[in-house]
Amino acid sequence: MTRKRRGIHLIAEMAQVSIGTVDRALHGRNGISHATRERILQIAREIGYTPNLAARALSAGKAGVRIGVCIPREIHFFYDQLWGGVLEEARRLEHMGVAFEFRPVRNLGEGDTEALRELIEDGVDGVILTAGNPDGLTPLVNEAEGRNIPVVCVSTDAPESLRSSIVCVEPRLNGQLAGELMGKFVPAGSKVAVVAGMLTAMDHLSKTEGFSVTFPKHCHGGQIVGVIEGHEDEDESFQKTFDLLGRVPDLAGLYVNTVNCLPVCRALGARQLAGRVKLITTDLFAEMATYFAKGTITASIYQQPHRQGQLAVRLLADNLTANQPFPPTVHLSPGVVMSSNLHLFREMRRSETKLPDVVRVASLATKV
Amino acid sequence: MTRKRRGIHLIAEMAQVSIGTVDRALHGRNGISHATRERILQIAREIGYTPNLAARALSAGKAGVRIGVCIPREIHFFYDQLWGGVLEEARRLEHMGVAFEFRPVRNLGEGDTEALRELIEDGVDGVILTAGNPDGLTPLVNEAEGRNIPVVCVSTDAPESLRSSIVCVEPRLNGQLAGELMGKFVPAGSKVAVVAGMLTAMDHLSKTEGFSVTFPKHCHGGQIVGVIEGHEDEDESFQKTFDLLGRVPDLAGLYVNTVNCLPVCRALGARQLAGRVKLITTDLFAEMATYFAKGTITASIYQQPHRQGQLAVRLLADNLTANQPFPPTVHLSPGVVMSSNLHLFREMRRSETKLPDVVRVASLATKV
DNA sequence: CTGAAAGCGCTAACAA
DNA sequence: TTGTTAGCGCTTTCAG
């Protein structure tokens, strides 16, 4: 009895030709008559043929495609989750012959042009990039795209560049959602304030704007009585918040649009206002849990870093291996973290940290 | 001249053994002396051996894993998104030689035991299942697991069975999050009510309980003044809600824990209470958009159907093809939909419906 | 124009 | 305890 054939062999059997001919038809190579080619393609279509990418990669010897990754290595908070998502997806794709070249930078925007340059020189087929300083990166990104190396930005965009796609939560929307929530949390006519990192950063500015526009729409007579810049400094953030709370005793809400919310929580505690002032924060990390428990933090806007990483890799791999077109933008909806669902977020699960992966990144990165 | 060997062959050559022995050493299989194993592992370490995953996938994939899928086919709302997630992931895996056998049932719990039976008889290697009627399904699921066919439940659980894993948003948590939100939305001492499908359904009961327990914790003196059962009937839901709104003129909030929220929206409209009574709904579909715009719906608890489908497939495929152990449960956090982020949900994008997939399901399903 | 055959690196079944 | 061998599905080269 004839064995159960698969893929190109199956087609060959059905079309009564050899696998070589099938291959020629499938790849539009020459040395095949128009008639047989059509017949083969027809059959392929009928049985819904899809090539086995693992086999292709193996045969072709080389890894099918190589993807370069340039993301900050900062160990806490957002970026380790972003890495997690990238690595998880990378591991799966390696099964299918997609290779990865990791060039982590120490901090956002720190030496990313060099890293990107190296990746391009290195001959990768596509790049995943957090564009720390968009201005410096734009010409390089354009050069890459010019060389037909697609660049997918993740989390932080280089909007002026020719990058093929961007995966992110729009900062403005972040602020809008916070504003809408805040508007529902506090009574009409409330005074609220915003704590930003620094307003010169596009990201924080957009969030602040989104909040400022949306909050009044959902809170009749609500007003924003202040915008604090904490400059990501613990003491400065604490002090400025503390002062504000003294100055505006009837403050009803605070929106912190940087990850650095702990000083604000402490300031609220120091003023005995924890729980009384509605606090909406951004992002999520383990130390925030206690403030959720105490009711200091009412909600946090979660930017899904893991998912962002995952999606960026998928997008690029799908394009490179299957010619899938890029969506110009992939804008995720931020999640809302409250005390009920807090425990479900991976940030709250210490044990789940995947050490092997981290080690691997390091070794691959230094292998250069 | 000796060709340039790679991977396991290279190690074999260096250690003066056969590739079979190397394989045994690398995989900790028995039938190999301690000495040779150590020698081989040492060499592997020295040359920094990493397995070629494509080759492994290709070789191991010879088994040709088949996954059976039994999910309701209901065309609207939740399940088409669930299908979307399943199909998206299935398409990727088919590249790697994983096959799928689709046995959609018309509605949740309708003929699912027969479908599952067929899948088992059919010799699939694993099953993805929405357990519509857990009681009837449990023995079958146990039988499958007994035959070493893992069953992954998705969205609806068969908790008493031996299913390998469950991917879902816990109904209770759904209610809790709604309760917490509602507690923050309405002032202290508020009266709120719940609209359920029917309280005999575990799902709706758990949601109602979760809400009832959590709401008072976040709203001082808040009370639940009523629980309506709409039985998924448009008229009944409308009428009962309409009556309740008349009976309790100072009602501050309504939580609808079934997908069937339109009648409630209409009742609120009829009473001129749209926007005045805070309405929290469940799930998401296109027709809800207008009620978000009008402010009738304050927020909706989104159960991430697409992601659930995706995750269920991944879990099962990872186990079948790479022996990854099952997490006993995968509990997702529900999303919060408000007017700011509404447009980002795929349910709101009509155009994105993937017709080809649907067609394909149908053909595969009827191919039997 | 078409067929046959040799691998890609790994797994697993069977010999020795 | 170890070696040998037959594929996995695809690409590629060399004959016909």
Short mmCIF file of all heavy atoms in Angstrom, two decimals, chain B residues 3 6 8 23 27 49 52 56 59, chain C residues 7-15:
data_model
loop_
_atom_site.label_atom_id
_atom_site.label_comp_id
_atom_site.label_asym_id
_atom_site.label_seq_id
_atom_site.Cartn_x
_atom_site.Cartn_y
_atom_site.Cartn_z
N ARG B 3 34.28 16.02 5.20
CA ARG B 3 33.38 17.17 5.09
C ARG B 3 33.24 17.89 6.43
O ARG B 3 33.49 17.32 7.48
CB ARG B 3 31.99 16.71 4.63
CG ARG B 3 31.99 16.21 3.18
CD ARG B 3 30.59 15.99 2.70
NE ARG B 3 29.73 17.14 2.97
CZ ARG B 3 29.04 17.31 4.08
NH1 ARG B 3 29.12 16.41 5.04
NH2 ARG B 3 28.28 18.36 4.24
N ARG B 6 28.51 19.23 11.30
CA ARG B 6 27.83 20.22 12.15
C ARG B 6 27.01 19.52 13.22
O ARG B 6 26.60 18.38 13.08
CB ARG B 6 26.85 21.06 11.33
CG ARG B 6 27.50 22.18 10.56
CD ARG B 6 26.48 22.83 9.66
NE ARG B 6 27.00 24.09 9.16
CZ ARG B 6 26.88 25.25 9.80
NH1 ARG B 6 26.24 25.30 10.95
NH2 ARG B 6 27.39 26.35 9.29
N ILE B 8 25.24 17.64 16.00
CA ILE B 8 25.40 16.34 16.63
C ILE B 8 26.43 15.47 15.90
O ILE B 8 27.16 14.71 16.52
CB ILE B 8 24.00 15.69 16.75
CG1 ILE B 8 24.06 14.18 16.73
CG2 ILE B 8 23.06 16.18 15.72
CD1 ILE B 8 22.66 13.61 16.96
N ASP B 23 23.04 11.58 20.78
CA ASP B 23 21.63 11.88 21.05
C ASP B 23 21.25 11.42 22.46
O ASP B 23 20.61 12.14 23.21
CB ASP B 23 20.76 11.18 20.02
CG ASP B 23 19.29 11.55 20.16
OD1 ASP B 23 18.96 12.71 19.89
OD2 ASP B 23 18.51 10.68 20.58
N HIS B 27 20.12 13.97 25.54
CA HIS B 27 18.74 13.93 26.03
C HIS B 27 18.61 13.19 27.34
O HIS B 27 17.50 12.88 27.77
CB HIS B 27 17.84 13.28 24.98
CG HIS B 27 17.60 14.17 23.83
ND1 HIS B 27 18.52 14.33 22.83
CD2 HIS B 27 16.57 14.98 23.53
CE1 HIS B 27 18.04 15.20 21.94
NE2 HIS B 27 16.87 15.61 22.34
N TYR B 49 27.31 23.89 21.63
CA TYR B 49 26.29 23.26 20.80
C TYR B 49 24.89 23.80 21.08
O TYR B 49 24.49 23.93 22.23
CB TYR B 49 26.29 21.75 21.04
CG TYR B 49 25.11 21.05 20.44
CD1 TYR B 49 25.05 20.79 19.08
CD2 TYR B 49 24.02 20.68 21.24
CE1 TYR B 49 23.95 20.16 18.53
CE2 TYR B 49 22.92 20.05 20.70
CZ TYR B 49 22.89 19.80 19.34
OH TYR B 49 21.79 19.19 18.81
N ASN B 52 19.64 22.37 16.27
CA ASN B 52 18.94 23.01 15.15
C ASN B 52 17.46 22.70 15.29
O ASN B 52 17.00 21.59 15.07
CB ASN B 52 19.48 22.45 13.84
CG ASN B 52 18.79 23.07 12.66
OD1 ASN B 52 17.59 23.32 12.69
ND2 ASN B 52 19.54 23.32 11.61
N ARG B 56 14.95 19.53 14.31
CA ARG B 56 14.23 18.79 15.35
C ARG B 56 12.74 18.76 15.05
O ARG B 56 12.10 17.72 15.10
CB ARG B 56 14.47 19.44 16.71
CG ARG B 56 13.67 18.81 17.81
CD ARG B 56 13.98 19.43 19.14
NE ARG B 56 15.33 19.13 19.58
CZ ARG B 56 15.89 19.66 20.66
NH1 ARG B 56 15.21 20.55 21.37
NH2 ARG B 56 17.10 19.32 21.02
N SER B 59 12.01 16.46 12.13
CA SER B 59 12.13 15.05 12.47
C SER B 59 11.02 14.61 13.40
O SER B 59 10.34 13.62 13.17
CB SER B 59 13.47 14.80 13.13
OG SER B 59 13.54 13.50 13.64
P DG C 7 25.31 13.18 -0.30
OP1 DG C 7 25.96 14.48 0.04
OP2 DG C 7 26.13 11.98 -0.41
"O5'" DG C 7 24.09 12.87 0.71
"C5'" DG C 7 24.03 13.53 1.96
"C4'" DG C 7 23.69 14.99 1.79
"O4'" DG C 7 22.52 15.09 0.93
"C3'" DG C 7 23.32 15.64 3.13
"O3'" DG C 7 23.97 16.87 3.28
"C2'" DG C 7 21.81 15.84 3.07
"C1'" DG C 7 21.52 15.84 1.57
N9 DG C 7 20.22 15.21 1.34
C8 DG C 7 19.94 13.85 1.28
N7 DG C 7 18.67 13.59 1.06
C5 DG C 7 18.08 14.86 0.98
C6 DG C 7 16.74 15.23 0.77
O6 DG C 7 15.76 14.50 0.60
N1 DG C 7 16.58 16.62 0.76
C2 DG C 7 17.59 17.53 0.94
N2 DG C 7 17.25 18.81 0.90
N3 DG C 7 18.86 17.20 1.13
C4 DG C 7 19.02 15.86 1.14
P DC C 8 24.58 17.22 4.69
OP1 DC C 8 25.90 17.84 4.42
OP2 DC C 8 24.47 16.04 5.54
"O5'" DC C 8 23.62 18.32 5.32
"C5'" DC C 8 23.45 19.61 4.74
"C4'" DC C 8 22.26 20.25 5.40
"O4'" DC C 8 21.06 19.79 4.74
"C3'" DC C 8 22.11 19.89 6.87
"O3'" DC C 8 22.63 20.95 7.66
"C2'" DC C 8 20.60 19.73 7.08
"C1'" DC C 8 19.99 19.69 5.66
N1 DC C 8 19.26 18.44 5.31
C2 DC C 8 17.98 18.51 4.74
O2 DC C 8 17.46 19.62 4.55
N3 DC C 8 17.34 17.36 4.41
C4 DC C 8 17.93 16.18 4.63
N4 DC C 8 17.25 15.08 4.29
C5 DC C 8 19.22 16.09 5.20
C6 DC C 8 19.85 17.23 5.52
P DG C 9 23.80 20.63 8.70
OP1 DG C 9 24.40 21.92 9.04
OP2 DG C 9 24.63 19.50 8.22
"O5'" DG C 9 22.98 20.10 9.96
"C5'" DG C 9 22.10 20.99 10.62
"C4'" DG C 9 21.21 20.19 11.54
"O4'" DG C 9 20.44 19.26 10.75
"C3'" DG C 9 21.94 19.35 12.59
"O3'" DG C 9 21.38 19.66 13.85
"C2'" DG C 9 21.70 17.91 12.16
"C1'" DG C 9 20.37 18.02 11.42
N9 DG C 9 20.16 17.02 10.38
C8 DG C 9 21.09 16.49 9.53
N7 DG C 9 20.59 15.61 8.69
C5 DG C 9 19.23 15.57 9.01
C6 DG C 9 18.19 14.80 8.43
O6 DG C 9 18.24 14.00 7.50
N1 DG C 9 16.96 15.06 9.05
C2 DG C 9 16.80 15.94 10.09
N2 DG C 9 15.56 16.07 10.56
N3 DG C 9 17.77 16.67 10.64
C4 DG C 9 18.96 16.43 10.05
P DC C 10 21.64 18.84 15.14
OP1 DC C 10 21.53 19.75 16.28
OP2 DC C 10 22.86 18.01 14.97
"O5'" DC C 10 20.37 17.91 15.16
"C5'" DC C 10 19.09 18.52 15.28
"C4'" DC C 10 18.00 17.48 15.23
"O4'" DC C 10 18.11 16.76 13.99
"C3'" DC C 10 18.07 16.45 16.34
"O3'" DC C 10 16.91 16.56 17.16
"C2'" DC C 10 18.11 15.11 15.63
"C1'" DC C 10 17.73 15.43 14.21
N1 DC C 10 18.44 14.61 13.20
C2 DC C 10 17.71 13.71 12.41
O2 DC C 10 16.49 13.60 12.57
N3 DC C 10 18.35 12.98 11.48
C4 DC C 10 19.68 13.12 11.32
N4 DC C 10 20.29 12.38 10.38
C5 DC C 10 20.45 14.02 12.11
C6 DC C 10 19.79 14.74 13.03
P DT C 11 16.85 15.62 18.47
OP1 DT C 11 16.08 16.38 19.46
OP2 DT C 11 18.19 15.07 18.78
"O5'" DT C 11 15.96 14.42 17.95
"C5'" DT C 11 14.64 14.69 17.51
"C4'" DT C 11 13.96 13.42 17.08
"O4'" DT C 11 14.67 12.83 15.97
"C3'" DT C 11 13.87 12.34 18.15
"O3'" DT C 11 12.53 11.86 18.15
"C2'" DT C 11 14.86 11.26 17.69
"C1'" DT C 11 14.83 11.45 16.18
N1 DT C 11 16.06 11.09 15.42
C2 DT C 11 15.93 10.28 14.31
O2 DT C 11 14.86 9.83 13.92
N3 DT C 11 17.10 10.04 13.65
C4 DT C 11 18.37 10.49 13.98
O4 DT C 11 19.34 10.19 13.30
C5 DT C 11 18.43 11.32 15.16
C7 DT C 11 19.74 11.86 15.61
C6 DT C 11 17.28 11.58 15.82
P DA C 12 12.01 10.92 19.31
OP1 DA C 12 10.61 11.27 19.55
OP2 DA C 12 13.01 10.92 20.40
"O5'" DA C 12 12.04 9.49 18.60
"C5'" DA C 12 11.47 9.36 17.31
"C4'" DA C 12 11.66 7.95 16.84
"O4'" DA C 12 12.99 7.81 16.26
"C3'" DA C 12 11.60 6.88 17.93
"O3'" DA C 12 11.06 5.71 17.35
"C2'" DA C 12 13.05 6.68 18.31
"C1'" DA C 12 13.68 6.77 16.93
N9 DA C 12 15.08 7.16 16.93
C8 DA C 12 15.80 7.83 17.89
N7 DA C 12 17.06 8.02 17.59
C5 DA C 12 17.19 7.44 16.33
C6 DA C 12 18.27 7.31 15.47
N6 DA C 12 19.49 7.79 15.74
N1 DA C 12 18.07 6.67 14.30
C2 DA C 12 16.84 6.20 14.03
N3 DA C 12 15.73 6.26 14.77
C4 DA C 12 15.98 6.90 15.92
P DA C 13 10.33 4.64 18.27
OP1 DA C 13 8.96 5.13 18.47
OP2 DA C 13 11.20 4.32 19.42
"O5'" DA C 13 10.28 3.36 17.31
"C5'" DA C 13 10.36 3.54 15.91
"C4'" DA C 13 11.32 2.51 15.32
"O4'" DA C 13 12.68 3.03 15.36
"C3'" DA C 13 11.34 1.18 16.10
"O3'" DA C 13 11.27 0.10 15.18
"C2'" DA C 13 12.66 1.23 16.86
"C1'" DA C 13 13.53 2.05 15.89
N9 DA C 13 14.63 2.75 16.54
C8 DA C 13 14.64 3.39 17.75
N7 DA C 13 15.81 3.91 18.07
C5 DA C 13 16.62 3.60 16.99
C6 DA C 13 17.97 3.87 16.71
N6 DA C 13 18.77 4.56 17.53
N1 DA C 13 18.47 3.41 15.54
C2 DA C 13 17.67 2.73 14.72
N3 DA C 13 16.38 2.41 14.87
C4 DA C 13 15.92 2.87 16.03
P DC C 14 11.09 -1.37 15.70
OP1 DC C 14 9.97 -1.96 14.96
OP2 DC C 14 11.11 -1.38 17.18
"O5'" DC C 14 12.43 -2.03 15.17
"C5'" DC C 14 12.97 -1.60 13.91
"C4'" DC C 14 14.44 -1.95 13.87
"O4'" DC C 14 15.19 -1.00 14.65
"C3'" DC C 14 14.78 -3.33 14.44
"O3'" DC C 14 15.53 -4.05 13.47
"C2'" DC C 14 15.57 -3.02 15.70
"C1'" DC C 14 16.22 -1.69 15.31
N1 DC C 14 16.67 -0.86 16.46
C2 DC C 14 17.96 -0.29 16.40
O2 DC C 14 18.66 -0.50 15.40
N3 DC C 14 18.39 0.46 17.44
C4 DC C 14 17.60 0.66 18.49
N4 DC C 14 18.06 1.42 19.49
C5 DC C 14 16.29 0.09 18.57
C6 DC C 14 15.87 -0.66 17.54
P DA C 15 15.54 -5.63 13.55
OP1 DA C 15 14.87 -6.18 12.38
OP2 DA C 15 15.12 -6.08 14.92
"O5'" DA C 15 17.10 -5.87 13.43
"C5'" DA C 15 17.92 -5.04 14.20
"C4'" DA C 15 19.27 -4.88 13.59
"O4'" DA C 15 19.89 -3.78 14.26
"C3'" DA C 15 20.17 -6.09 13.84
"O3'" DA C 15 21.24 -6.12 12.92
"C2'" DA C 15 20.64 -5.83 15.27
"C1'" DA C 15 20.70 -4.28 15.33
N9 DA C 15 20.17 -3.74 16.58
C8 DA C 15 18.94 -3.95 17.15
N7 DA C 15 18.77 -3.34 18.29
C5 DA C 15 19.96 -2.65 18.48
C6 DA C 15 20.42 -1.81 19.51
N6 DA C 15 19.70 -1.49 20.57
N1 DA C 15 21.67 -1.31 19.39
C2 DA C 15 22.41 -1.62 18.30
N3 DA C 15 22.08 -2.39 17.28
C4 DA C 15 20.84 -2.90 17.44
#
